[in-house]
Amino acid sequence: MIRNRETGEINPLLIPLIIAVVLMLGVGGFAGWAYLNYTDQKNNVDQKVEVAVTKAKQEQSDEDDKKFAEREKEPYRQFIGPEDLGRVQFDYPKIWSSYIEKSTNSAFEAYFQPITVPAVDGKSLFALRVTIEGRKYDDVINGTYQPKVKSGELRSTPVTIEGFSGVRFDGKFSREVPNGAMVIFKVRDKTMRIYTEDPARLNDFNEIILKNLKFNP
């Protein structure tokens, strides 16, 4: 009589089968993880490339706009002040307009602003202002601006233009003008101030106005 195998006996083929199934599941899980990781990385790379391309296009556009804006300033116009007040002379961008507030033997005030000069009401920040007044040079320097230098609101720097010495002030001139630049010269028996109240025009002030400034003290 042939007896059946005892209950609970393990088929010798079952163990390799289980191992094979586990390995297949492991390989499948790893493949799925690898695919998801690849997809995520690819999406991140695509996003980074898109961001980089957008940034590069914007930077190029900004650079083109900047170059166009600079070209629009040329050819420069020339300003020449009254002969009896030192004949102040300088170049300024052609897209700027000018307005002379008053001109007498004792005072001169001129205002410059892109496109249109706004009302002179103490509220507008001008790209450029030029004043020639009867106050003594030392009184203007020591009485008006040196106290602000001592308080730290302004920085003073000696300057020389066309062989003539003056003083430059940068910083806070008032609550209305928190960041401006001014150069002061003695013109005969009077004092000339040439300055910008708008920090956005500081490069024009340095590279166009001051580099072409001439006068006959």
Side-chain angles (χ1 to χ4, degrees):
M1 176 181 297
I2 300 176
R3 295 182 179 181
N4 293 330
R5 296 176 180 267
E6 295 183 0
T7 302
E9 185 177 348
I10 298 176
N11 190 322
L13 297 177
L14 183 60
I15 294 176
L17 179 62
I18 293 173
I19 295 174
V21 170
V22 170
L23 289 175
M24 288 179 64
L25 291 174
V27 170
F30 175 78
W33 172 83
Y35 176 76
L36 291 175
N37 187 61
Y38 164 78
T39 302
D40 182 64
Q41 291 295 326
K42 182 178 182 301
N43 290 337
N44 288 338
V45 170
D46 290 343
Q47 290 176 0
K48 290 179 180 179
V49 170
E50 183 178 353
V51 170
V53 170
T54 301
K55 181 180 179 181
K57 288 182 178 179
Q58 185 60 51
E59 290 177 349
Q60 184 61 51
S61 178
D62 293 343
E63 184 65 22
D64 291 342
D65 290 344
K66 183 178 179 180
K67 289 180 179 179
F68 177 78
E70 290 299 319
R71 288 196 300 268
E72 282 293 285
K73 298 175 183 178
E74 299 177 351
Y76 300 139
R77 295 181 180 181
Q78 188 175 72
F79 176 83
I80 300 178
E83 188 73 36
D84 58 345
L85 293 177
R87 201 175 186 272
V88 178
Q89 177 180 324
F90 54 82
D91 292 343
Y92 65 97
K94 72 174 184 179
I95 59 174
W96 289 12
S97 296
S98 63
Y99 169 70
I100 297 177
E101 175 74 1
K102 54 186 176 180
S103 179
T104 66
N105 290 331
S106 59
F108 176 86
E109 298 181 22
Y111 301 80
F112 299 79
Q113 188 75 352
I115 312 302
T116 303
V117 178
V120 183
D121 55 10
K123 299 178 181 180
S124 301
L125 297 181
F126 291 93
L128 184 69
R129 291 181 64 176
V130 180
T131 66
I132 300 177
E133 57 184 302
R135 291 176 62 193
K136 292 182 179 180
Y137 174 81
D138 290 338
D139 290 344
V140 173
I141 296 291
N142 298 322
T144 304
Y145 299 108
Q146 282 300 337
K148 291 182 177 293
V149 173
K150 291 181 180 180
S151 69
E153 294 179 281
L154 292 177
R155 304 181 305 277
S156 65
T157 309
V159 297
T160 301
I161 296 179
E162 289 284 299
F164 298 99
S165 298
V167 179
R168 173 168 177 156
F169 296 98
D170 292 90
K172 182 179 180 180
F173 289 86
S174 65
R175 183 176 61 183
E176 294 76 20
V177 186
N179 189 11
M182 174 186 294
V183 179
I184 303 179
F185 290 96
K186 180 179 180 181
V187 180
R188 299 176 184 174
D189 61 338
K190 299 176 177 59
T191 301
M192 181 187 77
R193 294 181 295 168
I194 180 166
Y195 54 108
T196 179
E197 300 172 322
D198 186 353
R201 309 297 171 187
L202 187 58
N203 187 66
D204 294 330
F205 181 71
N206 292 328
E207 299 300 323
I208 301 175
I209 309 301
L210 294 184
K211 283 192 174 181
N212 294 283
L213 177 63
K214 298 178 182 180
F215 51 92
N216 298 311

